[in-house]
């Protein structure tokens, strides 16, 4: 997988991506990352990337030409054909694990991170295949959104996570929230570790974890529960949980 990010703040992307899982994946050559600054593609002496909105109003709008040329730069640098150009914006499709899993099957993702009030709509229509959104809130630029895409997609690339880590990710894939986790000490002023986890009965532990995952999803994210079909055992575990909490 190659990520090419179009951004006026290239260090924001390369610095943040250099940590942890993403940093290691880049070092190991499992993913490539380049950042393309539209300012480097401007043609005037002031290196202008934005201009006033037609129709008036506050704020500035990113001009088409520097963005078009930056995207072309990213395309010409790589001969990969199986690629998508994605603009991050609140007008986009809501990100989900499913959308990101689909995206992980491409060879190249070109991520456009906008600043200011927005981007000239002609660029979005002409040069972008899709628009994606983090959610219904406003941030100051698309960089953090692009970084989230890079992080979440990188984790899905085979070989990036160790077996332990990727097995854990499966739990999120069944459409439920995670169960609670505990580590030492066994007893403390702020509470004790549930007995079942200390017992070493792996079947009981597995059932307890599934029950907690179901219970938390039911109480915190009923919308998620509506989208999954529970097995007979899961159904029974959730009923147990519900009779215990009321
Ligand atoms: N999920 N923003 C992008 C500028 C902008 C506006 C329109 C393109 C088109 C956001 C989000 C987000 C604020 C980043 C506006 N660029 N991005 N920026 N929510 O709020 O992705």
């Amino acid at each position: 997988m190659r990520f090419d990010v179009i951004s006026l703040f290239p260090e924001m992307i390369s610095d943040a991506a250099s940590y942890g899982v993403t940093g290691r994946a880049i070092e190991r050559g499992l993913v490539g990352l380049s950042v393309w600054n539209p300012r480097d593609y401007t043609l005037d002496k002031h290196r202008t990337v934005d201009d006033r909105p037609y129709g008036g109003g506050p704020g500035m709008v990113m001009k088409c030409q520097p963005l078009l040329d930056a995207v072309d730069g990213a395309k010409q640098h790589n001969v990969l054909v199986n690629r998508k150009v994605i603009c991050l914006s609140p007008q986009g499709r809501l990100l989900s694990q499913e959308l990101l899993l689909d995206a992980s099957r491409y060879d190249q993702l070109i991520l456009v991170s906008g600043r200011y009030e927005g981007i000239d709509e002609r660029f979005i229509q002409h040069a972008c295949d899709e628009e994606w959104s983090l959610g219904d809130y406003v941030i100051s630029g698309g960089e953090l959104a692009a970084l989230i895409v890079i992080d979440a997609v990188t984790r899905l690339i085979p070989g990036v996570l160790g077996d332990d880590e990727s097995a854990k990710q499966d739990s999120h894939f069944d459409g439920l929230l995670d169960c609670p986790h505990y580590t030492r000490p066994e007893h403390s002023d702020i509470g004790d570790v549930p007995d079942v986890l200390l017992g070493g009965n792996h079947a009981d532990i597995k059932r307890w974890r599934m029950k907690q995952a179901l219970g938390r999803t039911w109480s915190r994210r009923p919308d998620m529960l509506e989208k999954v079909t529970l097995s007979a055992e899961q159904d029974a575990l959730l009923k147990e949980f519900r009779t215990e909490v009321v």
Side-chain angles (χ1 to χ4, degrees):
M1 168 66 74
R2 269 207 63 78
F3 297 105
D4 289 278
V5 184
I6 313 299
S7 167
L8 290 169
F9 299 108
E11 289 82 11
M12 242 184 113
I13 304 292
S14 44
D15 290 353
S18 72
Y19 293 93
V21 169
T22 49
R24 249 178 334 266
I26 294 165
E27 273 172 24
R28 293 166 61 203
L30 293 168
V31 314
L33 171 63
S34 301
V35 195
W36 308 80
N37 190 342
R39 206 173 293 285
D40 295 336
Y41 294 87
T42 52
L43 304 168
D44 64 318
K45 77 165 188 228
H46 300 292
R47 314 222 302 155
T48 312
V49 292
D50 60 333
D51 206 341
R52 288 153 48 224
Y54 278 118
M60 298 293 271
V61 176
M62 290 182 83
K63 291 164 67 65
C64 285
Q65 175 271 321
L67 286 169
L68 289 168
D69 290 346
V71 168
D72 275 345
K75 285 185 177 173
Q76 278 164 29
H77 188 73
N78 309 282
V79 289
L80 304 171
V81 280
N82 184 20
R83 65 182 166 212
K84 248 189 169 34
V85 182
I86 297 151
C87 180
L88 289 313
S89 97
Q91 281 73 49
R93 265 179 82 180
L94 267 191
L95 277 189
S96 66
Q97 194 66 25
E98 192 190 7
L99 186 68
L100 294 161
L101 184 63
D102 280 349
S104 72
R105 305 190 214 281
Y106 285 86
D107 296 324
Q108 183 185 24
L109 295 177
I110 300 178
L111 303 169
V112 181
S113 296
R115 285 268 153 179
Y116 314 116
E117 292 313 298
I119 301 179
D120 189 310
E121 186 66 17
R122 291 168 294 182
F123 167 81
I124 298 171
Q125 294 306 318
H126 182 265
C128 302
D129 300 307
E130 293 188 18
E131 263 182 287
W132 290 359
S133 170
L134 290 185
D136 297 337
Y137 45 86
V138 180
I139 55 178
S140 307
E143 284 78 9
L144 289 172
L147 282 163
I148 284 170
V149 171
I150 292 169
D151 187 293
V153 170
T154 297
R155 301 169 57 77
L156 296 170
I157 294 166
V160 166
L161 296 183
D163 282 347
D164 284 14
E165 297 165 298
S166 36
K168 193 187 163 292
Q169 205 171 58
D170 290 343
S171 76
H172 223 95
F173 266 57
D174 57 25
L176 298 174
L177 296 180
D178 207 358
C179 64
H181 300 281
Y182 298 88
T183 186
R184 292 194 293 179
E186 204 176 304
H187 302 289
S188 88
D189 292 351
I190 56 170
D192 303 329
V193 176
D195 281 335
V196 60
L197 298 178
L198 307 170
N201 182 331
H202 293 292
D204 283 354
I205 291 171
K206 197 163 171 242
R207 262 193 305 277
W208 180 87
R209 286 182 170 155
M210 178 51 74
K211 182 165 146 187
Q212 296 299 317
L214 288 161
R216 284 177 169 212
T217 311
W218 168 72
S219 57
R220 300 178 190 194
R221 292 292 305 275
D223 58 304
M224 286 174 75
L225 213 47
E226 273 167 31
K227 292 180 195 138
V228 296
T229 336
L230 301 184
S231 68
E233 193 190 0
Q234 287 178 319
D235 214 57
L237 286 169
L238 179 56
K239 286 208 175 74
E240 259 181 52
F241 183 97
R242 291 168 62 168
T243 55
E244 284 163 27
V245 287
V246 290

